[in-house]
Amino acid sequence: MSILNLFSLEGKVALVTGGAYGIGFAMAEAYAQAGAKIAFNCRSQAHLDQALADYQAKGIDAKGYICDVTDEAQVKEMVASIKNDLGTIDILVNNAGIIKRIPMTEMSAEDFRQVVDIDLTAPFIMSKAVIPDMIEKGHGKIINICSMMSELGRETVSAYAAAKGGLKMLTKNICSEYGEYNIQCNGIGPGYIATPQTAPLREIQEDGSRHPFDQFIISKTPAARWGVPEDLMGPALFLASEASDFVNGQVLYVDGGILAYIGKQPK
Ligand code: NAP
Ligand code: GCO
């Protein structure tokens, strides 16, 4: 048997939350190319319609669902619909997420709670909804999309860092509690990736120069570039496939080396 068969997802059902565009879309595309049936969700009908067209353009017959991942009733209904449409979920990617960049002392408790609700509580809700079927099937893969902010802080992202730090520990706890059922729960920690979420950090300035934060990230990244969603495809496939069956509770950082690097020294 070819070693590459370890990376096949033939016959598997993958749900990528927030898979309408950005990082989620790229991971779903990788899974489709490896043979999986694809389900994704988002809140916006416009995003869903555009995503279905984008998947179709890639030759992917994805199923899209309108579902707010913070709403447990909607999540249970979506999981039941996917079970009916495609089969029980073998691979769950908790990708849906938001960020609010507000100085902590100026952030409302409501804003803080909304970020934590989507970025941390929702992965709990989603994982709780799919684990029983994974136990019954005798296998399952849960991949939580963490962040550099699972390890590092920075100004204005207190809620996001708290949520993503918690998501790292939820990953380890799902591993601990359900590893005996052949369920692997790992995280992916993308570095700074060029998606709509980070677009404000890359805006070209009025004088035509690059955004100061853009320049900062380039100086902090050994690869000297922003990541692109496609950089996540290989790592996501590895953690969704049999190739990683003895990898559990880990966070795989796909950051171009940022976490290893003190930053470019002044000339
Ligand atoms: P994005 O471009 O902003 O896409 C986020 C997706 O999540 C959208 O499809 C959005 O669709 C969906 N979503 C948001 N809230 C939702 C909710 N409550 N229920 C259902 N869907 C929801 O984000 P991205 O840059 O691709 O990031 C994806 C994940 O990677 C996030 O968890 C993010 O924190 C993480 N991450 C991103 C970076 C980066 O540099 N971009 C780095 C590290 C980690 P709707 O708005 O239509 O619901
Ligand atoms: C920010 C960015 C980051 C990235 C990502 C880094 O404002 O610092 O949005 O948080 O989204 O999480 O790994």
Side-chain angles (χ1 to χ4, degrees):
M1 176 186 88
S2 161
I3 187 77
L4 294 179
N5 291 352
L6 286 178
F7 295 88
S8 170
L9 300 184
E10 287 295 341
K12 302 288 192 201
V13 175
L15 168 60
V16 180
T17 68
Y21 49 83
I23 289 172
F25 185 95
M27 294 189 289
E29 184 182 355
Y31 294 167
Q33 288 184 24
K37 290 182 277 187
I38 302 301
F40 73 97
N41 75 292
C42 56
R43 295 163 299 182
S44 152
Q45 188 63 50
H47 288 165
L48 185 121
D49 294 342
Q50 182 59 55
L52 288 172
D54 294 340
Y55 279 114
Q56 199 64 43
K58 297 258 186 187
I60 300 169
D61 181 20
K63 294 271 190 240
Y65 303 82
I66 295 292
C67 172
D68 182 333
V69 290
T70 65
D71 183 318
E72 194 157 22
Q74 288 185 37
V75 165
K76 287 178 178 175
E77 184 181 346
M78 174 176 67
V79 170
S81 298
I82 293 169
K83 192 170 184 175
N84 183 57
D85 296 342
L86 298 173
T88 52
I89 295 165
D90 301 286
I91 301 157
L92 167 66
V93 182
N94 284 310
N95 168 76
I98 65 165
I99 192 168
K100 289 181 183 282
R101 301 182 181 96
I102 305 168
M104 196 182 91
T105 54
E106 298 168 27
M107 177 179 258
S108 68
E110 181 188 353
D111 275 337
F112 188 95
R113 288 193 182 99
Q114 187 189 14
V115 173
V116 171
D117 210 18
I118 295 171
D119 293 5
L120 178 56
T121 310
F124 159 77
I125 290 171
M126 284 300 318
S127 302
K128 200 171 74 156
V130 303
I131 283 172
D133 279 342
M134 290 179 171
I135 291 173
E136 192 171 326
K137 279 185 109 167
H139 67 258
K141 297 282 186 180
I142 296 174
I143 299 163
N144 293 322
I145 306 305
C146 297
S147 160
M148 306 296 301
M149 275 61 217
S150 297
E151 302 294 343
L152 302 171
R154 85 172 184 83
E155 300 83 353
T156 74
V157 297
S158 58
Y160 184 83
K164 293 297 188 179
L167 186 56
K168 177 176 78 169
M169 285 315 301
L170 179 63
T171 300
K172 292 174 185 275
N173 215 76
I174 292 171
C175 153
S176 306
E177 200 162 356
Y178 296 100
E180 69 177 284
Y181 300 104
N182 191 29
I183 294 172
Q184 292 84 47
C185 181
N186 292 289
I188 289 178
Y192 279 82
I193 313 295
T195 71
Q197 192 239 50
T198 55
L201 306 175
R202 291 176 283 108
E203 278 174 359
I204 298 299
Q205 306 299 284
E206 284 185 10
D207 65 3
S209 64
R210 296 177 74 152
H211 192 292
F213 195 90
D214 178 355
Q215 299 176 53
F216 169 68
I217 288 304
I218 297 297
S219 74
K220 291 288 283 180
T221 310
R225 69 171 173 89
W226 283 72
V228 292
E230 290 72 20
D231 288 320
L232 281 301
M233 293 173 85
L237 177 56
F238 167 64
L239 289 178
S241 68
E242 291 173 14
S244 61
D245 277 2
F246 205 55
V247 178
N248 214 345
Q250 303 300 313
V251 177
L252 177 57
Y253 287 96
V254 186
D255 68 352
I258 296 179
L259 280 177
Y261 187 40
I262 195 171
K264 189 164 290 304
Q265 302 169 44
K267 294 284 186 208

